Amino acid sequence: MKQTQTDWEDAYQRRETPWEKGKPHPGLVDFLAENGPLVGEIFVPGCGSGQDVRALSTPDNRVVGVDLAPFAIRKAMARRKIAREEYSLADLFALPAALDGRFDWVFEHTCFCAIDPARRDEYVATIVRLLRPQGRLLAIFFINPDHDEEGPPYRVSPAELEKYFGGYFSVEREWIPARTHPGREQRELMRVLVRV
Ligand SMILES: C[S@@+](CC[C@H](N)C(=O)[O-])C[C@H]1O[C@@H](n2cnc3c(N)ncnc32)[C@H](O)[C@@H]1O
């Protein structure tokens, strides 16, 4: 597998950002409409320009979006605040220990498939570290089994999800989102995972 370091900031500056849809993921919107807002402290890795962060944010929770691309974080911060959401320019793999165990929820959407597959163990270890015991990961995994070896997005399959997350999380719910961004139909898996 070809391993290259993705220059995310460069992609944003060139406007080569096909993941930017100008709105939150419809599957997240539907989940929140059906189940109510997520409560407590919520962490969003690779939040981009913050569409999902804003969808998650209410006056009763606190959402923290992290991204390593300054362009994305500037764009997110330029938007009018919904409630108490915050953004931080940071590398997911170099977060301060002060964040350990702080979060009730992590919301994952096209971050896991975006990182170098060689770092997937590290990604999962980071999410586990951030969550409180019994904390939950709400994930929209981009399952792209027909994708070639080059990414991002890198290949993700249900078997790989089990391999990386299975030892740390139990699956509370799993479904294919009824609504998604055009072109992603039947290529995503939503899960609520509970940290065991
Ligand atoms: C495919 S984009 C998805 C952005 C957003 N989740 C969305 O769906 O609109 C992946 C994002 O992850 C960010 N990212 C990649 N590696 C990261 C890391 N190590 N730490 C923090 N953010 C990272 C990129 O800058 C980019 O914004």
Side-chain angles (χ1 to χ4, degrees):
M1 179 178 291
K2 190 179 164 204
Q3 306 276 320
T4 53
Q5 180 108 18
T6 305
D7 188 339
W8 294 100
E9 175 64 8
D10 185 60
Y12 278 103
Q13 288 195 11
R14 289 169 181 270
R15 312 295 198 269
E16 286 174 7
T17 51
W19 58 86
E20 291 251 87
K21 305 296 186 190
K23 59 181 182 182
H25 192 288
L28 172 62
V29 173
D30 290 348
F31 179 86
L32 297 173
E34 285 159 21
N35 299 280
L38 302 191
V39 295
E41 305 261 336
I42 303 151
F43 183 88
V44 182
C47 67
S49 57
Q51 297 288 353
D52 296 328
V53 168
R54 287 187 288 280
L56 286 160
S57 185
T58 77
D60 299 322
N61 64 23
R62 189 152 66 189
V63 190
V64 179
V66 164
D67 205 289
L68 51 58
F71 189 103
I73 291 296
R74 272 199 306 275
K75 199 170 164 187
M77 291 176 91
R79 296 291 300 266
R80 192 166 58 84
K81 271 194 146 197
I82 301 297
R84 296 192 294 157
E85 72 272 21
E86 294 169 7
Y87 300 97
S88 178
L89 177 63
D91 183 347
L92 178 63
F93 299 117
L95 294 173
L99 295 181
D100 288 2
R102 179 176 141 186
F103 295 94
D104 301 285
W105 290 88
V106 170
F107 174 66
E108 150 64 44
H109 170 213
T110 54
C111 185
F112 183 69
C113 68
I115 58 162
D116 183 337
R119 304 195 80 175
R120 284 181 174 171
D121 277 326
E122 222 181 318
Y123 171 96
V124 175
T126 301
I127 301 306
V128 169
R129 232 186 75 193
L130 293 169
L131 282 171
R132 296 198 169 117
Q134 303 299 307
R136 284 173 166 75
L137 171 62
L138 170 62
I140 304 175
F141 291 115
F142 188 34
I143 304 289
N144 49 343
D146 300 329
H147 197 282
D148 65 22
E149 294 295 312
E150 288 191 28
Y154 294 101
R155 193 175 189 283
V156 179
S157 68
E160 280 162 313
L161 294 180
E162 178 54 30
K163 173 181 162 192
Y164 288 101
F165 291 90
Y168 304 96
F169 292 92
S170 63
V171 180
E172 188 173 76
R173 280 186 59 190
E174 175 181 296
W175 69 104
I176 293 169
R179 293 192 310 126
T180 184
H181 295 308
R184 295 204 196 154
E185 294 84 358
Q186 302 297 315
R187 300 178 75 197
E188 294 168 317
L189 196 57
M190 289 189 70
R191 280 185 173 174
V192 176
L193 299 171
V194 185
R195 189 188 149 187
V196 293

Coordinates of all heavy atoms in Angstrom, one line a residue, residues 8 12 19-20 45-48 52 66-69 72 90-93 109-111 114-115, ligand 1:
W8 N -3.3 18.3 4.2 CA -4.6 18.7 4.3 C -4.8 20.2 4.2 O -5.7 20.7 3.5 CB -5.2 18.3 5.7 CG -5.3 16.8 5.8 CD1 -4.4 16.0 6.4 CD2 -6.3 16.0 5.2 NE1 -4.8 14.7 6.2 CE2 -6.0 14.6 5.5 CE3 -7.4 16.2 4.4 CZ2 -6.7 13.6 5.1 CZ3 -8.2 15.1 4.0 CH2 -7.8 13.8 4.3
Y12 N -7.1 22.3 1.4 CA -8.1 23.4 1.7 C -7.8 24.6 1.0 O -8.7 25.3 0.4 CB -8.1 23.6 3.3 CG -9.0 22.7 4.0 CD1 -8.4 21.6 4.8 CD2 -10.4 22.8 4.0 CE1 -9.2 20.8 5.5 CE2 -11.2 21.9 4.7 CZ -10.6 20.9 5.5 OH -11.4 20.0 6.2
W19 N -15.0 16.6 0.3 CA -15.8 16.2 1.5 C -16.6 17.4 2.0 O -17.5 17.2 2.8 CB -14.9 15.7 2.6 CG -13.8 16.7 3.0 CD1 -14.0 17.7 4.0 CD2 -12.5 16.8 2.5 NE1 -12.8 18.4 4.0 CE2 -11.9 17.9 3.2 CE3 -11.8 16.1 1.5 CZ2 -10.6 18.3 2.9 CZ3 -10.5 16.5 1.3 CH2 -9.9 17.6 1.9
E20 N -16.3 18.6 1.6 CA -17.1 19.7 2.1 C -18.4 19.8 1.3 O -18.4 20.2 0.2 CB -16.3 21.0 1.8 CG -15.0 21.1 2.7 CD -15.1 22.2 3.7 OE1 -15.7 21.9 4.8 OE2 -14.8 23.3 3.4
P45 N -13.2 14.6 16.0 CA -11.9 14.6 15.4 C -12.0 14.9 13.9 O -12.9 14.5 13.2 CB -11.4 13.2 15.6 CG -12.7 12.3 15.6 CD -13.7 13.2 16.2
G46 N -11.0 15.7 13.4 CA -11.0 16.0 11.9 C -12.3 16.7 11.5 O -12.9 16.3 10.6
C47 N -12.6 17.8 12.3 CA -14.0 18.4 12.1 C -14.1 19.2 10.9 O -15.2 19.7 10.6 CB -14.2 19.2 13.4 SG -13.2 20.7 13.5
G48 N -13.0 19.5 10.2 CA -13.1 20.3 9.0 C -13.7 21.7 9.3 O -13.3 22.3 10.3
D52 N -20.7 19.5 11.1 CA -21.3 18.5 12.0 C -21.2 19.0 13.5 O -22.1 18.8 14.3 CB -20.5 17.2 11.9 CG -20.7 16.5 10.6 OD1 -21.7 16.7 9.9 OD2 -19.7 15.8 10.1
V66 N -11.8 19.4 16.5 CA -10.3 19.5 16.3 C -9.9 19.2 14.9 O -10.4 18.2 14.3 CB -9.6 18.5 17.3 CG1 -8.2 18.3 16.9 CG2 -9.7 19.0 18.7
D67 N -9.1 20.0 14.3 CA -8.5 19.7 13.0 C -7.1 20.3 12.9 O -6.8 21.3 13.6 CB -9.4 20.4 11.9 CG -9.3 19.7 10.6 OD1 -8.2 19.8 9.9 OD2 -10.2 18.9 10.2
L68 N -6.3 19.6 12.1 CA -4.9 20.1 12.0 C -4.7 21.1 10.8 O -3.6 21.7 10.7 CB -3.9 19.0 11.9 CG -4.0 17.8 10.9 CD1 -4.1 18.3 9.5 CD2 -2.9 16.9 11.1
A69 N -5.8 21.4 10.1 CA -5.6 22.3 9.0 C -6.1 23.7 9.4 O -7.3 23.9 9.7 CB -6.5 21.9 7.8
A72 N -9.2 25.2 7.7 CA -10.5 24.6 8.1 C -10.9 25.2 9.4 O -12.1 25.6 9.6 CB -10.4 23.1 8.2
A90 N -5.3 21.4 16.1 CA -4.4 20.4 16.8 C -4.4 19.2 16.0 O -5.3 18.8 15.2 CB -5.0 20.1 18.2
D91 N -3.3 18.4 16.2 CA -3.1 17.1 15.6 C -3.7 16.1 16.6 O -3.4 16.1 17.8 CB -1.6 16.8 15.5 CG -1.3 15.5 14.8 OD1 -2.3 14.7 14.7 OD2 -0.2 15.3 14.4
L92 N -4.7 15.3 16.0 CA -5.3 14.3 16.8 C -4.4 13.4 17.5 O -4.7 12.9 18.6 CB -6.2 13.5 15.8 CG -7.0 12.3 16.3 CD1 -8.1 12.8 17.3 CD2 -7.7 11.7 15.1
F93 N -3.2 13.2 17.0 CA -2.2 12.3 17.5 C -1.3 13.0 18.5 O -0.3 12.4 19.0 CB -1.4 11.6 16.4 CG -2.3 10.8 15.5 CD1 -2.4 11.2 14.2 CD2 -3.0 9.8 16.0 CE1 -3.3 10.4 13.3 CE2 -3.9 9.0 15.1 CZ -4.0 9.4 13.8
H109 N -16.7 11.1 11.6 CA -17.3 11.2 10.2 C -16.1 11.5 9.3 O -15.6 12.6 9.3 CB -18.4 12.3 10.2 CG -18.9 12.6 8.8 ND1 -19.3 13.8 8.4 CD2 -19.0 11.8 7.7 CE1 -19.7 13.8 7.2 NE2 -19.4 12.6 6.7
T110 N -15.8 10.6 8.5 CA -14.7 10.7 7.5 C -13.4 11.2 8.0 O -12.6 11.9 7.4 CB -15.1 11.6 6.2 OG1 -15.6 12.8 6.7 CG2 -16.1 10.9 5.4
C111 N -13.1 10.9 9.3 CA -11.7 11.1 9.8 C -10.9 9.8 9.8 O -9.8 9.7 9.3 CB -11.8 11.7 11.2 SG -10.1 12.1 11.8
A114 N -9.7 8.9 6.6 CA -8.8 9.9 6.0 C -7.3 9.7 6.5 O -6.4 10.2 5.8 CB -9.3 11.3 6.4
I115 N -7.2 9.1 7.6 CA -5.8 9.0 8.2 C -5.1 7.8 7.6 O -5.7 6.9 7.1 CB -5.8 8.9 9.7 CG1 -6.6 7.7 10.2 CG2 -6.3 10.2 10.4 CD1 -6.4 7.2 11.6
Ligands
LIG1 C1 -12.0 14.0 4.7 S1 -11.9 15.4 5.7 C2 -13.4 15.3 6.6 C3 -13.7 16.6 7.4 C4 -15.1 16.5 8.1 N1 -15.1 15.5 9.0 C5 -16.2 16.4 7.1 O1 -16.7 15.3 6.9 O2 -16.5 17.5 6.5 C6 -10.7 14.8 7.0 C7 -10.3 15.9 7.9 O3 -9.4 15.4 8.9 C8 -8.4 16.3 9.2 N2 -7.3 15.6 9.7 C9 -6.5 14.7 9.1 N3 -5.6 14.2 9.9 C10 -5.7 14.8 11.1 C11 -5.1 14.7 12.3 N4 -4.0 13.9 12.5 N5 -5.5 15.5 13.3 C12 -6.6 16.4 13.2 N6 -7.2 16.5 12.0 C13 -6.8 15.7 11.0 C14 -8.2 17.0 7.9 O4 -7.6 18.3 8.0 C15 -9.6 17.1 7.3 O5 -10.2 18.3 7.7

